[in-house]
Amino acid sequence: MTVFSASSTAGAFVTAAERARVAFAKAHGSEPTVIVQAPGRVNLIGEHTDYNDGFVLPMALPFATAIALTPNDTCRIEVSSEGFADACFSIEDPLAAEGWSRYVHGTAQLVAADGYPATGWTGCIATDIPTGASLSSSAALEVATGLATVTAARGSISSIELAKIAQRVENDLLGLPSGIMDQLASAACTAGCAVRIDCRDLSLTDVVLPSDATVIILDTGTRRKLLESEYAARQDACHTAATTIGVASLRDARLNDLDTITDDRVRRRARHVVTANRRVSDAVHAMQSGDTARLGELMSESHRSLRDDFEVTGPALDAIVTLAESIDGCHGARMTGGGFAGCAVALVDNDAVDHFCQSVLDHFNAPDTQPATEPTQVWPVTPSAGAHIVTDQTSRQDSVHRD
Ligand code: GLA
């Protein structure tokens, strides 16, 4: 088991962008024309609210997916990725039945279908984002691909449009029912800040994190594959609740309204969403007033709501959150992302970070009922920039912008 920190291993840490560049140079004997990258995200608070038109508060991670490429002036994409088989397809071809490259293919296809400048390219992908750990590795791949494809064609696209295309790849092409949070966080975050997203009108508000505490990601090492059906079941319950109350979405419901829901399970699902939206507002207020303790309390309250009302935590996430909360200097902790497995997030006093990380590594073991398939890992992270161009020799700049 290891503590991994991009900042503490400076010197030894080679970024995904650099690895993609080196892979490209090795494969093609020349430097890439374009390098882009898009980060993973951790959501600080506001879970399962995005598809209810609600509020979320993610931040971008220092871990990214990078693509180094050269436009090839055809409609073909030829791509290789560390640890995966090479892929080659025409943007217009139907998507393959399965495989990692469908994320690349689907995104390039929708970028072109929506009328953005799009051209084929030859490239190499590298990533620092663990897959299946609830840190949005697929959103990062989609967003990086969209930016790569537009930049290769010397075009530009707003981060919101980029995120919407990436979400449609999941929903419409791959049949995965995700909300917009992951893609928008990857596309639009600002370094140094979390972003409050209003998932109804997609307005973004940057919120600075407390300077006296550090966000730490706790990877339980568990991975879950059944999330999609559970995720769809939660969406159905939220939809049933909104219909019963008579509102367009649970964003418009108040706690009093929930009394009209007779089904206990549906009522608890709705209660989570209504209270989660309030917690995001309270968390933004706590951050703006420098109240680190309150932010931590809200994170722990959020975990309890996800565990008891929304029922998307599971034994490993519950165990690591309980352990984190018991360690000195931890203000609060919660699962992050879709749930059931993967990562939790904790807020820890700066001067307690080393002790905290070591304690988690020393004492966490995934429960027998949910064994880990990956090692436990602990990552102190700083809020990082959203998708951007690292290198562009195509003679244009600024191909992603917020408005
Ligand atoms: C997954 C989805 C997001 C969001 C979270 C839960 O990460 O991709 O859209 O719904 O779960 O908050």
Side-chain angles (χ1 to χ4, degrees):
M1 294 194 292
T2 50
V3 174
F4 174 93
S5 154
S7 49
S8 69
T9 55
F13 183 75
V14 180
T15 63
E18 178 58 10
R19 294 203 313 282
R21 185 194 70 75
V22 169
F24 185 98
K26 201 167 157 194
H28 304 290
S30 60
E31 287 296 311
T33 313
V34 172
I35 304 175
V36 300
Q37 69 174 52
R41 64 96 189 95
V42 61
N43 189 23
L44 297 178
I45 201 155
E47 219 66 84
H48 289 273
T49 45
D50 59 352
Y51 54 80
N52 289 297
D53 276 354
F55 301 97
V56 293
L57 189 66
M59 61 175 235
L61 296 174
F63 316 145
T65 293
I67 308 180
L69 64 100
T70 290
N72 59 23
D73 296 323
T74 72
C75 55
R76 293 194 74 70
I77 292 182
E78 297 173 358
V79 62
S80 62
S81 179
E82 290 173 330
F84 292 95
D86 294 359
C88 179
F89 43 81
S90 163
I91 294 177
E92 289 134 22
D93 284 347
L95 253 48
E98 52 190 41
W100 69 274
S101 64
R102 297 192 318 150
Y103 290 89
V104 177
H105 193 169
T107 307
Q109 204 166 78
L110 288 194
V111 164
D114 279 11
Y116 287 97
T119 187
W121 43 266
T122 302
C124 297
I125 299 179
T127 189
D128 304 320
I129 311 169
T131 48
S134 38
L135 300 179
S136 297
S137 58
S138 29
L141 178 56
E142 292 148 8
V143 170
T145 300
L147 183 55
T149 305
V150 170
T151 306
R154 299 173 179 77
S156 71
I157 186 168
S158 79
S159 49
I160 291 179
E161 291 307 319
L162 190 53
K164 283 177 165 170
I165 287 173
Q167 186 196 12
R168 278 170 42 224
V169 172
E170 303 239 345
N171 296 173
D172 301 348
L173 299 188
L174 304 180
L176 307 169
S178 70
I180 188 95
M181 168 173 71
D182 305 345
Q183 292 79 9
L184 198 45
S186 180
C189 273
T190 303
C193 301
V195 64
R196 172 201 180 266
I197 304 173
D198 178 336
C199 297
R200 172 167 277 164
D201 65 12
L202 302 188
S203 57
L204 308 172
T205 310
D206 289 336
V207 191
V208 177
L209 275 109
S211 58
D212 56 351
T214 300
V215 171
I216 302 184
I217 294 177
L218 314 171
D219 185 356
T220 61
T222 59
R223 303 288 183 260
R224 186 177 160 116
K225 299 225 180 298
L226 288 177
L227 176 63
E228 282 154 36
S229 57
E230 294 286 355
Y231 190 91
R234 296 307 182 280
Q235 285 184 326
D236 286 348
C238 291
H239 181 70
T240 302
T243 308
T244 308
I245 296 168
V247 291
S249 71
L250 284 178
R251 152 77 172 268
D252 303 312
R254 293 158 306 168
L255 272 182
N256 289 346
D257 299 331
L258 306 185
D259 298 340
T260 56
I261 304 172
T262 49
D263 183 310
D264 173 63
R265 182 183 293 187
V266 172
R267 192 172 55 247
R268 284 186 292 113
R269 304 295 189 247
R271 184 168 61 190
H272 163 71
V273 175
V274 172
T275 58
N277 280 326
R278 197 204 55 222
R279 278 189 291 273
V280 174
S281 303
D282 291 352
V284 169
H285 186 254
M287 286 162 76
Q288 288 169 338
S289 51
D291 192 345
T292 308
R294 178 70 185 135
L295 177 60
E297 274 169 23
L298 288 161
M299 289 170 68
S300 289
E301 198 181 290
S302 157
H303 186 83
R304 290 192 290 273
S305 178
L306 287 156
R307 183 190 63 197
D308 302 335
D309 278 352
F310 218 66
E311 296 181 278
V312 289
T313 59
L317 288 166
D318 290 342
I320 210 161
V321 164
T322 302
L323 170 62
E325 288 171 337
S326 74
I327 301 169
D328 281 350
C330 178
H331 289 285
R334 61 185 288 279
M335 57 150 268
T336 190
F340 299 107
C343 291
V345 56
L347 187 68
V348 176
D349 277 334
N350 291 339
D351 54 14
V353 168
D354 289 350
H355 169 72
F356 176 88
C357 291
Q358 199 53 56
S359 299
V360 172
L361 292 173
D362 287 347
H363 298 294
F364 180 72
N365 284 306
D368 293 343
T369 48
Q370 192 182 9
T373 53
E374 306 292 329
T376 306
Q377 300 212 65
V378 183
W379 295 296
V381 289
T382 47
S384 303
H388 58 277
I389 298 169
V390 179
T391 301
D392 182 3
Q393 310 289 341
T394 63
S395 77
R396 64 137 299 109
Q397 291 293 326
D398 188 30
S399 70
V400 63
H401 51 87
R402 262 198 182 177
D403 306 310

